[in-house]
Amino acid sequence: MQFASQDQLVRQRISLAVASAVGVLLLLFALSMRQRAALAKVASTIAATEAQRRFQEYFERHPVAMLIFDVNSFEILTANAAAQRQYGCELRAASIDQLRPAADVDDFRRDLQRYVASGDSGGLGGVRRHKHADGTVFYVDITYHFLDFAGRDACFVTAHNVTAHEAAKKALRLRSRALEASRNAVVISSREEGDSVVTYVNAAFARTTGRSVDEATGASHWEMIGCDPASPDVRSIDESLNAGRACSGLFRSHRCDGSEYWIELNASPVFGDGDQPTHFVTVFSDVSERIRYQDQLRIQAYEDALTHLPNRLGLKARLGDLVKHAADQGTTLALVFLDIDNFKEINDTLGHTAGDEVLCEVARRLSMTVSSAELVVRYAGDEFVAVLHGRGDADSLVAAADEMKNALNVGFCVGDALVVPQASVGIAVYPDHSTDPETLLGYADAAMYQAKSTGPNSLQLFNPEIASRSTKRALMAQALRRAISSDEISVVYQPRVNSITGRTIGFEALARWCDPEQGFVSPSLFIPLAEETGSIVSIGERVLEQACRQTAIWAQEYPDLVVSVNVSPVQFERSDLPFVIAETIKRTGVCAHNLELEITEGVLMAPRSLATLRALRELGLSIAIDDFGSGYSSLSYIRTFMADRLKLDMSFVRGIGCSRADEVIVRAVIALGKTLGMRVVAEGVETPEQLEFLVDNGCDEVQGFWFAPPSEAVTARSYLRGEHAACMKR
């Protein structure tokens, strides 16, 4: 029992020792776990701090704009440096609304509420409009993520600036729409195994070729355009494109239905990363209408619209070949130049419609006199040219030209009038006169002018003397142009005298030309030349300018003085005469009542002449009809437009004392003037007998060498002062 008791005690002690040891171990374990938990917490805190530091560093240094804002108050809680730069201002504590244009704020708030309500933690916000602090609007691509930030419901946002990308998209969209809207067909093709395969065509392609987009895509480039790939022009385009060069051309093509049309094509290569082209862009348009129009113009360019004969260009296009043919055959050829005599008078008296009928009849008659191998052209206006050959020698050609002239001398009716067309004819013969076509034509023209100078219905064969005169005339025309540009045209004044008192009451301003080489050139030579070349307009304006300035000076002392200035029919027709004269009066300061314009009878019958003359009258000018009686006097026109003066042509004045008919005409003109209330002026008075006759018959005013020749302004002034007494009838 003692041993049992001792054994039990030992066991109890051992159990107590074990329990104590276990307790100590448990305590040690508890202490160890507590230390480990503390260490883990410290480690977690350190890790969180490091993560926060790294996030902050990432956030601040990231090149994309980032910011966090409160989803309830819209206050920006933080923003990185990239955001500050992107928006150009301090963002912290600012409202997120400030980053958007005012018009977009409501849409932003509505979308934000939708994102929050969806329960998603984040997503893509798409491309939005934002604005810089200076108001500039730009585009950003938005991503968002909801989070808790410092105990606040917040949203983390990245705003990547995609303005350049959006601009590129817009530009690409516009270009795409432009391609589709273009009226020109556009084809983009890729280079595949030596061939060009279509990858894109626009709507205009389908309209132009009749081939659909689906049909064209993947097909051969030239086949879809409708051109023959084997043609030299197409091969040339391909060679240029493969060499990397842009090119263009005009091609005959075919639509899908087989109909032919013309295209104007421009093609350019598109290069890839290397130097070789990978694609080709071809733009073309249907120019069939233009080609047809050009063909019509080409025909019209060589054909006279009125007579349907070849025109001047048609002559020049064929003349060289005709001369060459004559040279090859060893035959003689003649150029016959015909000019209708007094054709302007037909237009003026019967009208331009009647004139056109005459031209058509002349063309018909001339065409009937030549063979199919010969040529008749309407050269210009009332001028015709015939090319005769295969008729033998020069005498035979001249005889044929004479037959042509005589074929015109048969009267025919135009309306109620009988017209007998006549022509002045000039002839030049190949090879007798020249072997050059242009020279030959010029010689025929010169011969025609010589024929015209000898009288109507004349014929003249070219000779060297005509060439000399033609050369002199060309040199004079050149010298006249030089004289006008060098201001060599001067103005002289011939007194106009009251036939009763002998007092000078006005002047006629006349153009004079003294050439440095030729000396004094007669107005009878250079005035017709100036009218023919059109330079009379410049001469007339210069004479008007000088006469107005001089008249303004004289009128200060002699307020009733009237100076008359001649107006050429060419000047009357080609220039805006009322405007020119009104501007000249304004510029020179002359009073309109001191200025008179002298016109010929033919001007009265020109189209729109009466309206122009009335406009001149409204300026305050007086009008005189010059050389009255020498042309086709029309009493109806004179009655319609009452002039201030009739100037009796000097040819009738010279007949006084020599021709009873001229004396009768002089009396009739004076009586006509008095009856109509117009003053009559007799020009060219050179003898006392002429003056006596004119005074006895009541002529109002006279001028001529009996009183004074035309003189410069200084001498002319002396007549106003009475220093040169007029020789009047006692």
Side-chain angles (χ1 to χ4, degrees), residues 264-485:
E264 188 172 54
L265 178 146
N266 293 274
S268 299
V270 179
F271 297 94
D273 296 334
D275 295 333
Q276 295 299 317
T278 60
H279 291 77
F280 307 110
V281 177
T282 305
V283 180
F284 64 91
S285 58
D286 184 350
V287 293
S288 304
E289 191 64 31
R290 191 186 78 190
I291 297 299
R292 283 193 292 270
Y293 181 63
Q294 288 176 346
D295 290 340
Q296 292 175 0
L297 287 181
R298 193 175 296 110
I299 294 172
Q300 293 171 3
Y302 292 97
E303 180 181 289
D304 175 55
L306 177 64
T307 63
H308 300 293
L309 293 176
N311 58 13
R312 180 183 302 193
L313 291 177
L315 172 65
K316 291 187 176 181
R318 296 184 57 185
L319 183 57
D321 292 338
L322 291 172
V323 171
K324 184 178 183 301
H325 178 74
D328 294 341
Q329 298 295 319
T331 58
T332 306
L333 175 146
L335 258 70
V336 183
F337 210 113
L338 303 96
D339 182 87
I340 308 302
D341 295 324
N342 301 321
F343 182 72
K344 186 177 185 304
E345 294 170 2
I346 295 175
N347 273 337
D348 291 342
T349 55
L350 302 180
H352 288 275
T353 301
D356 290 346
E357 291 185 33
V358 171
L359 291 174
C360 290
E361 178 63 18
V362 168
R364 188 187 68 81
R365 293 185 183 185
L366 293 177
S367 298
M368 291 177 64
T369 63
V370 301
S371 69
S372 59
E374 295 173 321
L375 182 66
V376 174
V377 305
R378 183 188 177 193
Y379 192 71
D382 58 348
E383 296 176 338
F384 293 81
V385 173
V387 183
L388 307 180
H389 61 90
R391 295 177 181 254
D393 58 10
D395 291 339
S396 300
L397 292 170
V398 172
D402 192 52
E403 290 179 6
M404 295 179 72
K405 177 176 70 67
N406 293 333
L408 302 181
N409 299 339
V410 179
F412 66 98
C413 290
V414 179
D416 296 331
L418 178 67
V419 176
V420 182
Q422 295 180 328
S424 298
V425 181
I427 308 170
V429 177
Y430 168 89
D432 299 3
H433 300 137
S434 177
T435 58
D436 177 65
E438 287 293 330
T439 303
L440 205 62
L441 182 61
Y443 284 171
D445 189 14
M448 182 275 292
Y449 273 102
Q450 179 62 29
K452 189 172 282 291
S453 67
T454 61
N457 207 36
S458 299
L459 183 146
Q460 177 68 55
L461 181 65
F462 178 80
N463 59 56
E465 184 180 349
I466 294 175
S468 176
R469 282 195 296 268
S470 178
T471 301
K472 289 180 180 178
R473 181 173 174 276
L475 291 174
M476 180 178 287
Q478 184 179 2
L480 181 58
R481 289 192 295 270
R482 184 178 63 250
I484 294 172
S485 62

